[in-house]
Amino acid sequence: MKHLAEEYTIVASSPSPEDVYAYSPGLCKLDNGRLVATMDFGGTGVAREWAGQNVKLAHRWPERPDRDNIGLIYTSDDGGITWQKKHSLPILCMRPFTAGDSLYVIGFCRDLGIARSFDNGDTWTEVSWLTEGQLWHQAPSNVWYKGDCVYLVMERMTHERCAWPVDGIAPVLMRGRLDRDLTERENWTFAAELIYEQNIDENQVLEFGIPFEKGGGLTRGWLETNVVQLLKEDDWFYDESGKVFYLFARCYTGLPWTGAMCRVIEKEDGSMHTEFVTAPSGKRMFYVNIPGGGASKFHILYDGESKTYWLLTNDFTDSMNRREKIPGQKIPGYDRSRLVLYYSCNCFDWLFAGVVAAGRDLTQARSYASMVIDGKDLLVLSRSGDENSFNGHDTNMITFHRVKRFRDLIG
């Protein structure tokens, strides 16, 4: 099978692949055609590699004082052929987006942080903190625009612990006015919270095979949430008022195609209420089938021209391997070497569009990707590895790919 965008441009690479790793690619296209790429590098070698460069590093976990992160911003003015480093910020998992005449990046370093650019990413303000004394999380997932507002999901972590606290995550839909300064907390509305461990009783879903394994050192939970509105009329969950937003999350259960969902309703007073979805049968819905869902981040993008949702994630060739039989792997199903594209008219029925790119083995991953539309093409930014990659999770490159004439993939 021919891959859709196997060739790539390296946006940034690790200066020391054994102890500095490439993470969290985010991508944005500006009205003037400029591309903005965000990412962070993390690991025990970050402080050494960026020493003396007058940059601020992010320290996420007090329990790991030897591990640092640095957020980096790059731009391209030739369609992704060449890239220039513009700035560094002390926040992780940055997500670039536009609002009004400004470009923003939002991320976290424990608290929720945001920075603003007035000149298309050439220069940036200092990080403004939207919370104080809290713990936040989120990969660079999607952004949704409606009317005069921008919507995105960040995730508040209610557990103060370093290792996989996804059972205590609350996905929070945030709404900001496009004509306001979004570095100010007062210009954001935060939706009410739902926390996994307070609402999901795994003993009630045993018929679905969740949890798939007992123990294993990893807690069940949801994370890396996307927001969409379901716009296809006559579908079960279509909302003609335009006040309902659906959140689709990766859901770690041990089953790779398992996602989770809830919804947010905008009230007349401007507040946003988060709740679970009720199926037509009257049963509460939580788990849904989403490509990749249980074992890797996915990114959802809506294309208004084709009225189609696009989803970028990993697929898995053998998720049933026993944990103790997998050399160099701790988690079954964590094969992130194949980056795959799907499309859907309704966010429930996902059709295979093609393999975007693939590494040669499990170490050379193509994962955690973000995407934007550029005319007839789909642009992809991937967390990638080559023969120097430390492993499939801790990779050494951020790569740029172009899927040409992506709408032609609709069957």
Side-chain angles (χ1 to χ4, degrees):
M1 178 187 297
K2 183 178 179 181
H3 296 165
L4 302 175
E6 189 63 55
E7 295 183 0
Y8 59 82
T9 298
I10 299 176
V11 179
S13 59
S14 168
S16 178
E18 68 276 3
D19 58 6
V20 176
Y21 315 121
Y23 296 128
S24 310
L27 187 61
C28 180
K29 181 178 179 289
L30 306 185
D31 289 341
N32 67 0
R34 169 172 278 190
L35 302 178
V36 180
T38 58
M39 67 210 68
D40 54 84
F41 283 85
T44 57
V46 168
R48 178 192 69 243
E49 294 295 339
W50 273 271
Q53 297 188 32
N54 193 29
V55 299
K56 295 180 180 179
L57 302 181
H59 305 278
R60 183 181 183 187
W61 299 107
E63 300 89 344
R64 291 295 306 275
D66 61 330
R67 186 179 178 93
D68 304 286
N69 290 76
I70 183 171
L72 299 176
I73 301 171
Y74 285 71
T75 63
S76 174
D77 294 312
D78 56 12
I81 298 172
T82 61
W83 294 84
Q84 295 76 44
K85 184 168 69 173
K86 293 295 184 178
H87 202 61
S88 66
L89 290 169
I91 49 178
L92 295 79
C93 300
M94 290 186 293
R95 185 181 338 185
F97 67 96
T98 58
D101 59 356
S102 295
L103 171 65
Y104 293 88
V105 291
I106 190 168
F108 62 89
C109 182
R110 300 183 65 81
D111 276 298
L112 200 56
I114 189 169
R116 184 180 189 181
S117 174
F118 296 93
D119 53 13
N120 297 319
D122 287 331
T123 61
W124 291 83
T125 66
E126 294 292 320
V127 174
S128 297
W129 299 101
L130 301 179
T131 63
E132 183 177 356
Q134 295 183 359
L135 192 61
W136 287 79
H137 176 271
Q138 175 62 308
S141 297
N142 72 346
V143 176
W144 191 268
Y145 294 92
K146 182 186 75 96
D148 57 1
C149 293
V150 59
Y151 299 78
L152 54 87
V153 181
M154 298 299 289
E155 298 168 345
R156 193 174 74 84
M157 300 167 67
T158 61
H159 290 325
E160 180 73 23
R161 66 171 186 262
C162 182
W164 202 252
V166 292
D167 58 333
I169 277 181
V172 179
L173 182 64
M174 298 169 55
R175 181 184 67 222
R177 284 279 301 272
L178 298 178
D179 60 351
R180 303 289 175 84
D181 180 1
L182 297 182
T183 64
E184 297 182 1
R185 172 63 180 86
E186 64 194 41
N187 294 327
W188 288 97
T189 299
F190 286 34
E193 299 179 356
L194 284 177
I195 302 172
Y196 181 94
E197 65 178 358
Q198 294 179 3
N199 291 278
I200 304 304
D201 182 358
E202 292 178 344
N203 293 322
Q204 295 181 359
V205 290
L206 294 179
E207 294 81 4
F208 200 43
I210 296 174
F212 188 72
E213 291 184 275
K214 291 185 177 180
L218 293 181
T219 305
R220 257 64 64 180
W222 54 359
L223 68 160
E224 298 165 351
T225 312
N226 289 255
V227 56
V228 300
Q229 290 185 288
L230 300 181
L231 302 176
K232 185 171 179 290
E233 295 184 17
D234 300 326
D235 276 3
W236 280 110
F237 298 123
Y238 173 69
D239 167 59
E240 63 181 9
S241 75
K243 298 292 186 180
V244 179
F245 297 80
Y246 288 85
L247 308 188
F248 289 94
R250 170 188 172 193
C251 193
Y252 181 75
T253 63
L255 295 173
W257 270 62
T258 311
M261 70 177 296
C262 62
R263 69 180 185 181
V264 176
I265 301 175
E266 290 185 307
K267 300 295 187 180
E268 292 299 324
D269 62 1
S271 64
M272 296 192 291
H273 173 69
T274 309
E275 64 183 24
F276 290 109
V277 178
T278 301
S281 67
K283 293 288 188 180
R284 186 181 78 172
M285 293 183 67
F286 177 73
Y287 295 109
V288 291
N289 288 329
I290 295 178
S296 188
K297 176 218 173 192
F298 56 86
H299 185 105
I300 298 177
L301 177 65
Y302 182 71
D303 173 38
E305 181 174 325
S306 63
K307 297 183 178 179
T308 304
Y309 300 88
W310 295 83
L311 184 146
L312 192 60
T313 188
N314 293 112
D315 65 4
F316 306 94
T317 58
D318 190 359
S319 65
M320 291 292 103
N321 272 323
R322 293 181 180 273
R323 184 183 300 268
E324 66 273 12
K325 300 292 185 180
I326 308 174
Q329 290 266 111
K330 294 182 179 180
I331 307 167
Y334 263 42
D335 177 355
R336 295 178 174 177
S337 61
R338 287 164 48 95
L339 186 62
V340 180
L341 185 66
Y342 296 83
Y343 64 94
S344 174
C345 67
N346 57 21
C347 282
F348 288 89
D349 303 304
W350 293 101
L351 302 178
F352 178 77
V355 177
V356 175
R360 296 179 180 178
D361 55 38
L362 297 185
T363 298
Q364 299 185 35
R366 304 287 185 267
S367 68
Y368 268 65
S370 296
M371 58 180 168
V372 298
I373 295 170
D374 181 25
K376 297 180 179 180
D377 298 344
L378 192 66
L379 310 183
V380 173
L381 198 65
S382 171
R383 184 168 115 188
S384 301
D386 59 15
E387 65 276 6
N388 299 310
S389 182
F390 186 73
N391 59 37
H393 180 276
D394 301 315
T395 59
N396 65 314
M397 302 186 300
I398 302 296
T399 57
F400 173 82
H401 308 250
R402 180 180 289 269
V403 178
K404 295 182 179 179
R405 302 185 65 87
F406 75 102
R407 295 183 187 93
D408 292 350
L409 299 171
I410 299 174

